[in-house]
Amino acid sequence: METPCTQLPPSTPPQVGPAGWTSALGPMNSRSAGTLAVGRVKFFGQHRGEVNSSAFSPDGQRLLTASEDGYVYGWETQSGRLLWRLGGHAGPIKFCRFSPDGHLFATTSGDCTIRLWDVAEAKCLHVLKGHQRSVETVSFSPDSKQLASGGWDKRVVLWEVQSGQMLRHLGGHRDSVQSSDFAPSSDCLATGSWDSAICIWDLRTGTPVISHQELEGHSGNISCLCYSASGLLASGSWDKTIHIWKPSTRNLLVQLKGHVTWVKSIAFSPDGSQLASAGYSHMVKVWDCNTGKCIETLKVSKIHGCSTQGCRKRPARGGWGQAGLAFPEPSEVLSAGSPGCGPRLCLHPRWETLSVWSC
């Protein structure tokens, strides 16, 4: 069945509205190094429901937003122009993610399916069926050839991207699977669950049965997982903490404490020395991964009932890379969301832009 979609012509401007919004923060105010500044905020109200997920394309040119209204939206990063509004799911879209090669993106839904989409043509290529309940997370392998998904049926499923065929079903979690990420080497897949455990799945070729090890230490839902370029794993939980692990030894290296509510999103800096995190407390924090200390805190203000704010930070050696969280002038910080339970986090692939959005 053909996927219904609406592609907007280049002249179509974003609409402003208080609900189901996307915002762009304009040029940041100049301040001294290490301080945070707030820029102009512009709201775009194309969403017709809460925004559940957001993702930048690998080249940073496009932003995806997945909405409770059952549509996935594609935005031009710099202009904020809406490129497409794609339908097809029979339920709310829970999560979205671009493939590392930038050619595809995936969406998951409460309709128990995953959809694979072609970026260039903005059309659905495959509908992946195999889950029995809502699908909450999806991740591409670093080579973009495999896809992992998880959801409320407690299943982790591996798929072949090119054909859309199911490769393997991984059983081990005792509750809903909420988060996932592939290791940079593609040898392992990490999944997090409401059972408070992290499973590390061994995906190496030649392994007859996919085995897994569990990382235990959290006392709440594992809402987000993120590998660093060096292979360390960060986990964020509803127990209000973030753990950084060395998966190969199962050692907990550092525990980050400071969020006063559930942790929802995390992201490593390119060199792995720092970590950004967002929770439901209208705060974004930047951490030193070696010392476990919070080195920056961004307090999110409420505007028109929605939560958004941007930050800038001048480059520091060993930090966020050459651009860091320092935004070129002029620059934009893209956000997406609607009134609700607080900000989530997405980082521009070039690490020049921070996206903060409400769930």
Side-chain angles (χ1 to χ4, degrees):
M1 183 174 65
E2 185 177 357
T3 301
C5 74
T6 301
Q7 283 191 267
L8 278 73
S11 59
T12 304
Q15 298 176 356
V16 178
W21 50 268
T22 299
S23 70
L25 282 74
M28 300 295 105
N29 300 326
S30 297
R31 294 195 182 181
S32 59
T35 63
L36 303 177
V38 181
R40 297 190 307 270
V41 180
K42 185 176 182 181
F43 293 92
F44 304 87
Q46 298 282 1
H47 302 102
R48 300 175 184 175
E50 292 185 357
V51 175
N52 293 318
S53 180
S54 168
F56 279 108
S57 61
D59 63 6
Q61 298 300 307
R62 292 173 178 171
L63 176 72
L64 285 178
T65 55
S67 177
E68 194 77 11
D69 63 14
Y71 289 86
V72 60
Y73 297 73
W75 307 85
E76 189 175 78
T77 303
Q78 292 301 318
S79 68
R81 181 171 62 88
L82 181 61
L83 301 172
W84 64 68
R85 176 177 177 266
L86 303 175
H89 281 293
I93 300 183
K94 309 304 288 290
F95 198 79
C96 61
R97 183 167 285 184
F98 277 100
S99 61
D101 62 15
H103 298 315
L104 305 171
F105 65 88
T107 55
T108 76
S109 173
D111 66 6
C112 309
T113 69
I114 303 106
R115 285 180 175 254
L116 281 172
W117 307 80
D118 180 270
V119 172
E121 299 186 17
K123 71 176 184 179
C124 182
L125 301 177
H126 299 294
V127 180
L128 311 184
K129 298 180 179 180
H131 285 281
Q132 298 175 352
R133 296 183 65 185
S134 177
V135 188
E136 301 293 307
T137 182
V138 68
S139 295
F140 283 93
S141 61
D143 61 7
S144 301
K145 294 181 178 179
Q146 292 189 38
L147 191 75
S149 60
W152 279 97
D153 58 6
K154 309 176 188 178
R155 292 183 176 185
V156 177
V157 181
L158 289 178
W159 310 84
E160 183 182 63
V161 170
Q162 184 175 4
S163 66
Q165 296 298 308
M166 183 188 298
L167 298 175
R168 293 179 179 179
H169 162 230
L170 310 179
H173 281 295
R174 298 173 293 280
D175 209 331
S176 172
V177 180
Q178 295 287 301
S179 53
S180 61
D181 199 22
F182 277 89
S185 63
S186 297
D187 289 345
C188 296
L189 169 72
T191 56
S193 168
W194 268 100
D195 61 15
S196 303
I198 302 163
C199 286
I200 307 295
W201 306 89
D202 188 344
L203 305 178
R204 288 174 293 184
T205 303
T207 304
V209 178
I210 294 184
S211 60
H212 75 276
Q213 295 182 329
E214 291 192 9
L215 304 180
E216 297 181 341
H218 284 293
S219 58
N221 170 36
I222 311 298
S223 55
C224 45
L225 291 168
C226 182
Y227 272 99
S228 72
S230 65
L232 298 182
L233 178 68
S235 57
S237 172
W238 284 23
D239 66 9
K240 308 175 187 177
T241 69
I242 301 160
H243 292 180
I244 300 179
W245 311 82
K246 186 176 183 179
S248 59
T249 61
R250 301 173 65 184
N251 287 340
L252 175 61
L253 302 180
V254 65
Q255 186 179 48
L256 309 180
K257 294 182 178 181
H259 281 287
V260 296
T261 57
W262 304 330
V263 178
K264 189 58 184 175
S265 300
I266 52 177
F268 275 104
S269 62
D271 64 1
S273 67
Q274 295 179 12
L275 184 86
S277 64
Y280 288 114
S281 61
H282 305 288
M283 286 187 181
V284 174
K285 292 182 176 291
V286 180
W287 308 83
D288 185 308
C289 295
N290 295 315
T291 65
K293 293 181 179 180
C294 179
I295 55 179
E296 298 284 357
T297 298
L298 169 64
K299 294 183 179 180
V300 183
S301 62
K302 292 185 178 181
I303 303 175
H304 299 302
C306 302
S307 303
T308 182
Q309 193 174 37
C311 74
R312 71 172 294 173
K313 175 185 172 185
R314 298 189 182 278
R317 293 183 180 179
W320 292 91
Q322 184 176 2
L325 285 182
F327 308 135
E329 300 290 349
S331 63
E332 292 182 340
V333 180
L334 296 183
S335 306
S338 65
C341 46
R344 294 184 69 178
L345 175 69
C346 184
L347 288 171
H348 189 292
R350 295 181 181 174
W351 307 91
E352 298 170 352
T353 308
L354 175 66
S355 170
V356 185
W357 43 283
S358 292
C359 56

